[in-house]
Amino acid sequence: MGSEVLKQVKVLFIMIGSCICAYKFPLATIFLNITDQKVLASLDIGFYNFVFSVIFALVFNFVSNHLLHIDVNISYPNQETNKIVFSESDLEKSMDIEMKIVAKGKVRKTYKSITLVCPESYMIQLHENSSRKFISIDSGGSNYELDINKMISRYKKDVSTVKTIKLSLVLEEYHKGDKDYLVLEKPIWLGFVSIKKNKLELKQN
């Protein structure tokens, strides 16, 4: 959703900039022997649109190449899906879920941790065989905090690593028709870090 909005904003700015430049600095009239002003304006707008698109692409690639990219996928591996459907018979039953974290790019320091937030009707627990070096329980005792700095601490300049975290999810309170999400929450500003994440849908039938 957020990425789509940014794309539309970029298109809007490029179009506005192209129209302003076409009005202030018309080029087609200099190089082409055309009298139709609408055609000339269209050609100028198209030219500036191309120029601004190339500039945006170059800037984006430059910035992207200097970021730390974190991709987090929370899934229910038993059914290879990002959705779990509970019935009343699943009350107090443990469901094994998986959180896969891919870190690539430049080593960057994050200013805060990201948090795996568990809905009130559920409880999550880290498996014993999962890495605990960069994961800790928050002060409330119900959510897990992931320290990206600790996760990539052995890398000096560039990083490329995959971490798979095994967790158990338990439905503690059944409320028919409820729909919640197990999701990672991140601060507004983490530094030069780009985070792409999904959420695991929890539905009670």
Side-chain angles (χ1 to χ4, degrees):
M1 181 68 177
S3 62
E4 288 301 318
V5 172
L6 288 176
K7 286 180 183 178
Q8 295 304 318
V9 170
K10 184 190 78 171
V11 170
L12 177 62
F13 272 102
I14 289 176
M15 181 56 67
I16 292 174
S18 299
C19 291
I20 292 173
C21 288
Y23 177 75
K24 294 286 187 180
F25 311 103
L27 297 177
T29 53
I30 299 174
F31 298 103
L32 298 174
N33 187 22
I34 300 175
T35 57
D36 193 322
Q37 293 300 314
K38 290 183 178 179
V39 173
L40 292 172
S42 298
L43 290 172
D44 280 328
I45 290 173
F47 170 75
Y48 284 114
N49 191 290
F50 170 76
V51 171
F52 282 126
S53 296
V54 170
I55 292 173
F56 263 94
L58 291 174
V59 171
F60 175 82
N61 287 336
F62 176 82
V63 172
S64 180
N65 289 336
H66 288 77
L67 291 177
L68 168 62
H69 296 273
I70 305 293
D71 191 344
V72 184
N73 182 57
I74 308 171
S75 64
Y76 182 42
N78 283 357
Q79 297 182 4
E80 297 182 351
T81 181
N82 296 115
K83 178 179 180 180
I84 305 179
V85 179
F86 294 87
S87 62
E88 191 168 6
S89 62
D90 294 319
L91 193 63
E92 303 297 335
K93 184 188 292 184
S94 177
M95 302 280 195
D96 289 334
I97 61 174
E98 185 176 280
M99 182 166 57
K100 184 178 180 181
I101 307 172
V102 180
K104 287 185 178 181
K106 299 293 182 183
V107 172
R108 300 296 185 189
K109 290 285 186 180
T110 60
Y111 296 101
K112 292 183 179 181
S113 299
I114 54 179
T115 305
L116 181 64
V117 179
C118 185
E120 290 185 359
S121 299
Y122 302 83
M123 179 185 71
I124 52 173
Q125 187 173 5
L126 186 67
H127 283 196
E128 291 295 331
N129 60 347
S130 288
S131 174
R132 295 176 178 269
K133 293 180 180 179
F134 63 96
I135 301 177
S136 59
I137 298 286
D138 72 352
S139 57
S142 58
N143 302 321
Y144 283 96
E145 293 185 348
L146 284 70
D147 190 328
I148 300 299
N149 295 331
K150 288 183 179 179
M151 190 182 83
I152 63 173
S153 59
R154 71 184 183 91
Y155 295 89
K156 301 302 181 185
K157 187 177 179 181
D158 297 299
V159 58
S160 180
T161 186
V162 179
K163 301 289 185 182
T164 301
I165 311 301
K166 305 285 187 179
L167 303 118
S168 294
L169 180 69
V170 179
L171 175 64
E172 294 191 310
E173 298 178 14
Y174 177 76
H175 302 287
K176 186 174 182 179
D178 274 10
K179 184 167 73 171
D180 292 294
Y181 294 95
L182 185 65
V183 65
L184 273 173
E185 288 187 354
K186 66 182 184 70
I188 296 175
W189 174 248
L190 276 172
F192 293 97
V193 181
S194 170
I195 293 186
K196 182 181 177 182
K197 56 188 175 64
N198 74 323
K199 51 190 177 182
L200 181 66
E201 183 180 337
L202 310 174
K203 188 174 181 181
Q204 300 182 34
N205 279 351

